[in-house]
Amino acid sequence: MSGLGRGEQAPSPKRSLRHVTRGYTVLLYHRLAGEGKAGQERIDVPPRAFDRQMRLLSRLRFSPLSQSELVEFHARRSRALPRRGVVVTIDDAFEDVVEPLLRNARLHPLLFVPTANVGGPVEWLHGERIAGWQQLLRLADAGVVLGAHTRTHVDLPAADNATAELEVNGARDDLRDRTGASPVAFAYPHGRFGEREREFVEAAGYALAFTTRPGRNDAASDPLALRRVSVKAWDSNLSFAWKLITGTQPPAYWERWLLLRAAAARRLGRARRRGRARVPAATPPDAAPPPRQRP
């Protein structure tokens, strides 16, 4: 994941609060399985938590923005966005995101697809499976917007010129062939990019591109280097609201508290499961009593 660039500073909460009605926040998700696998704690949000967070957007009066609104805003064809704008994005298009996204397709989420990996397992996340084309087209029909995430989730800055350009252009062509329209949005794998990668993305015709740098976006933001904030499995309603307002992760002390809270909940859950396992099964009311033992 990329952090702040040289000379950049995270926006202060006070400044973000004053400007919450200007610009927008982009939320970043990956998996929506809730399996809690080791090494995936930061990227796997339980589907029930995701549904709750999507309901919170409405309760907190945030307005989900469509792709066309973003394009018009950054092309200066639209002077303003709805108050408290938010964009929901999901990288990698794993199978487990399909049903949660169908339930929340009204929010215009952007799903970024590594097109050569569609329908199969991926080595870069321990064999987790990418959704198939039939599932992806079903999502598109429901209102989910499909964007490009290269063809094979390659680390673009580490690739040579020919490979990087092929990955960027190939994902565009794959999506165009499958959906009938060229994708408008692109997400850099791992959030990693430089000037060369940005130029490839621009030349390929994408109007929007997303990084993993934290912060909110406004009219001065580069539309090919938009900022996002990652949502994590241990986020509370309050920390989720913080991310919506500031576009940044909570302070370190708060993050540590959230981690301790999540660890305590996991221990309690394991203890409850062990307790249930030790309780003997009740005898069904219509079952025959056990045979009497002879003295």
Side-chain angles (χ1 to χ4, degrees):
M1 297 291 186
S2 296
L4 293 173
R6 182 180 300 175
E8 295 177 319
Q9 294 181 344
S12 69
K14 188 175 294 186
R15 180 182 184 276
S16 295
L17 284 167
R18 288 200 306 268
H19 291 75
V20 69
T21 60
R22 305 177 189 177
Y24 60 95
T25 296
V26 184
L27 302 174
L28 169 59
Y29 295 86
H30 288 84
R31 297 196 66 204
L32 299 175
E35 295 174 340
K37 292 181 178 179
Q40 297 188 26
E41 297 90 350
R42 290 178 174 271
I43 64 169
D44 186 4
V45 173
R48 286 190 298 180
F50 177 73
D51 289 341
R52 184 185 72 246
Q53 291 162 357
M54 297 303 98
R55 292 192 298 270
L56 273 172
L57 296 181
S58 176
R59 289 172 58 189
L60 296 173
R61 298 183 181 180
F62 274 80
S63 300
L65 304 176
S66 68
Q67 179 176 258
S68 60
E69 285 178 303
L70 293 185
V71 171
E72 291 179 1
F73 177 68
H74 286 290
R76 307 296 193 273
R77 291 195 293 270
S78 173
R79 292 187 177 182
L81 291 172
R83 295 178 69 251
R84 300 184 186 181
V86 64
V87 181
V88 179
T89 69
I90 306 91
D91 283 6
D92 306 331
F94 290 111
E95 278 188 329
D96 49 72
V97 309
V98 173
E99 292 304 321
L101 288 184
L102 285 172
R103 291 194 296 270
N104 295 281
R106 69 191 184 283
L107 303 178
H108 320 297
L110 296 177
L111 179 63
F112 294 105
V113 184
T115 55
N117 298 131
V118 168
V122 291
E123 295 180 358
W124 39 268
L125 198 63
H126 315 297
E128 303 295 348
R129 295 189 66 86
I130 305 297
W133 282 113
Q134 186 174 2
Q135 293 170 304
L136 295 173
L137 293 175
R138 183 185 174 202
L139 286 169
D141 288 341
V144 176
V145 178
L146 302 183
H149 202 36
T150 71
R151 299 195 74 242
T152 63
H153 203 267
V154 68
D155 182 359
L156 287 174
D160 59 51
N161 286 345
T163 299
E165 189 172 16
L166 179 61
E167 288 280 342
V168 171
N169 293 345
R172 175 202 61 197
D173 296 343
D174 291 342
L175 283 168
R176 181 185 58 205
D177 292 345
R178 290 286 183 166
T179 67
S182 293
V184 172
F186 182 90
Y188 301 99
H190 313 291
R192 287 174 47 77
F193 79 107
E195 189 58 35
R196 183 194 66 161
E197 290 73 42
R198 187 196 177 286
E199 289 176 0
F200 285 150
V201 167
E202 184 173 29
Y206 298 101
L208 307 167
F210 295 84
T211 73
T212 57
R213 293 176 176 173
R216 285 171 55 81
N217 302 288
D218 56 28
S221 300
D222 181 355
L224 298 182
L226 296 171
R227 297 172 180 271
R228 297 189 286 178
V229 60
S230 294
V231 182
K232 300 172 184 176
W234 54 80
D235 272 319
S236 64
N237 288 350
L238 190 57
S239 66
F240 180 72
W242 169 279
K243 291 179 178 184
L244 284 171
I245 292 169
T246 69
T248 64
Q249 297 296 331
Y253 70 87
W254 190 358
E255 191 84 5
R256 287 194 296 270
W257 183 86
L258 290 169
L259 284 167
L260 290 172
R261 175 175 172 267
R266 286 195 298 269
R267 288 195 298 270
L268 180 59
R270 287 195 295 266
R272 286 175 174 170
R273 288 192 294 271
R274 287 196 298 268
R276 286 196 297 268
R278 285 196 293 267
V279 175
T283 303
D286 57 349
R292 296 181 61 184
Q293 298 294 324
R294 293 183 179 178

